[in-house]
Amino acid sequence: MIDLPRSSYYYRSTARALNLGDAELVAIIEEIQDELPCYGYRRVTHELQRRGHLVNHKRVARVMRANGPGDQASQAVCSHDR
């Protein structure tokens, strides 16, 4: 048996999340929204995490709110049958 604390074994570094600035995050988010225009902040957060970026959903929502298109533009593109 290894004398290693369980917390050290399961430790996940957040170095990538700290090195990702808002400008880089905006560029990545715009790339995701070009591919998938109907994605909101929740789906964009999931896609960022799937691509290997450790980013909090609150940060993604803040960046999208500050730099994204208005609600009218996204609703015109993403109108779904209801």
Side-chain angles (χ1 to χ4, degrees), residues 4-73:
L4 184 69
R6 186 179 299 176
S7 61
S8 297
Y9 179 76
Y10 287 106
Y11 176 75
R12 295 176 74 181
S13 177
T14 58
R16 273 196 255 166
L18 297 176
N19 292 335
L20 190 63
D22 280 351
E24 293 98 6
L25 185 60
V26 167
I28 297 170
I29 288 173
E30 287 177 352
E31 178 184 314
I32 291 172
Q33 287 189 324
D34 286 343
E35 295 172 17
L36 308 160
C38 293
Y39 274 21
Y41 79 93
R42 290 181 178 144
R43 287 182 173 177
V44 169
T45 303
H46 187 271
E47 183 66 23
L48 284 166
Q49 291 172 351
R50 194 183 68 74
R51 294 183 183 192
H53 301 286
L54 301 174
V55 180
N56 190 311
H57 71 278
K58 293 178 279 188
R59 183 177 180 205
V60 173
R62 176 181 54 82
V63 168
M64 286 179 67
R65 192 169 44 246
N67 299 312
D71 291 329
Q72 295 172 353

